[in-house]
Amino acid sequence: MPYEVRGGVALHASELWPFVQDMQRLELASFGTTQFQAELKGCKLLDKDRFKWAAQESPMPEEERRKHCRGFLTKGLEKKAPIRLEFTAYGQASLEMATGMFELLRQHKARLFAAAIPRSVIKPDTYEAEEYLRKDQVFLLERYFYFLEQEKQHGLLVMDEVEKPKTGASCDASRRTFGRQERDVTGQPGSFQRRFSSPLT
């Protein structure tokens, strides 16, 4: 059964800038360039086409892969069709980048949080469903809250802007869901679930 997954990565503030620098180095080592300021997306790095392109040839030497990746990206800007070797290099570089990112997350002591629901779930036609966060999103934030409580740390949420209308609606729903609750969230264990439980079923 296919699932919709919402998740995030938690990094300590002291690890954030070193992680960003290592990501930039990894991108250069994988693609030979910084992709002309385009944002890297995990769903694109692991797209089925990237796997297909990567499997067209045996793994390339690093310098050759980077050379053909630069050709692939340059031709994209010039609206020209890349050659087969360039597609192959770009596919292999994408998988190299994805693998390297997981290693960097491990090195920088990242914590992963995720919640999944079946994609077949139909959104109910109710006021609560429109105005408040879905229960899976509340559970995701609950895990983050308990992690911070356990580590005796403060946390900051940085949301990825996938689509402006959806991102804005999610922020508004967060304010409505949590803004109506008590401001003090430092109670006994279980306080998050009592104070921030979603009204959605």
Side-chain angles (χ1 to χ4, degrees), residues 15-28 97 100 104 107-108:
E15 296 285 349
L16 183 57
W17 180 238
F19 176 76
V20 170
Q21 291 176 306
D22 283 346
M23 280 284 289
Q24 291 174 335
R25 284 190 282 267
L26 175 62
E27 189 176 5
L28 284 170
M97 182 75 191
L104 289 182
Q107 291 176 10
H108 291 279

Side-chain angles (χ1 to χ4, degrees), residues 175-192:
R175 282 192 288 269
R176 284 190 290 268
T177 301
F178 301 126
R180 67 193 181 90
Q181 306 290 345
E182 298 177 49
R183 292 183 179 275
D184 177 26
V185 295
T186 58
Q188 298 299 316
S191 59
F192 187 101

Side-chain angles (χ1 to χ4, degrees), residues 4 19 26-27 35 39 66 69 78 81 83 88 94 100 102-103 111 114 124-125 142 156 175 198:
E4 177 185 328
F19 176 76
L26 175 62
E27 189 176 5
Q35 299 229 38
E39 182 181 2
R66 288 192 281 263
C69 273
E78 296 172 347
I83 62 175
T88 302
S94 296
F102 281 104
E103 178 59 25
R111 297 295 184 95
D125 186 20
E142 176 191 23
L156 177 68
R175 282 192 288 269
S198 170

Side-chain angles (χ1 to χ4, degrees), residues 19-152:
F19 176 76
V20 170
Q21 291 176 306
D22 283 346
M23 280 284 289
Q24 291 174 335
R25 284 190 282 267
L26 175 62
E27 189 176 5
L28 284 170
S30 300
F31 296 98
T33 180
T34 56
Q35 299 229 38
F36 307 113
Q37 308 304 314
E39 182 181 2
L40 288 169
K41 294 283 188 181
C43 61
K44 291 184 178 179
L45 286 177
L46 297 176
D47 181 81
K48 66 181 189 306
D49 285 338
R50 309 290 174 96
F51 282 93
K52 182 176 70 175
W53 299 342
Q56 291 179 149
E57 303 284 347
S58 57
M60 294 182 180
E62 291 185 359
E63 282 302 325
E64 182 181 355
R65 184 190 69 226
R66 288 192 281 263
K67 171 189 170 184
H68 289 305
C69 273
R70 288 191 292 269
F72 181 95
L73 293 167
T74 299
K75 286 183 179 178
L77 291 176
E78 296 172 347
K79 309 298 183 185
K80 296 179 181 178
I83 62 175
R84 178 187 172 90
L85 270 178
E86 291 167 343
F87 274 108
T88 302
Y90 193 67
Q92 292 183 5
S94 296
L95 302 186
E96 181 76 14
M97 182 75 191
T99 302
M101 288 170 66
F102 281 104
E103 178 59 25
L104 289 182
L105 289 170
R106 185 191 67 80
Q107 291 176 10
H108 291 279
K109 304 179 180 66
R111 297 295 184 95
L112 304 181
F113 298 85
I117 60 170
R119 292 185 64 183
S120 58
V121 170
I122 299 174
K123 180 180 177 180
D125 186 20
T126 63
Y127 173 82
E128 289 83 3
E130 284 294 330
E131 296 297 317
Y132 299 111
L133 287 178
R134 288 186 340 206
K135 185 169 285 188
D136 62 306
Q137 295 170 324
V138 174
F139 286 161
L140 182 65
L141 294 175
E142 176 191 23
R143 293 297 95 199
Y144 181 52
F145 170 84
Y146 286 137
F147 167 71
L148 293 175
E149 188 175 58
Q150 177 183 322
E151 298 293 318
K152 296 180 172 58

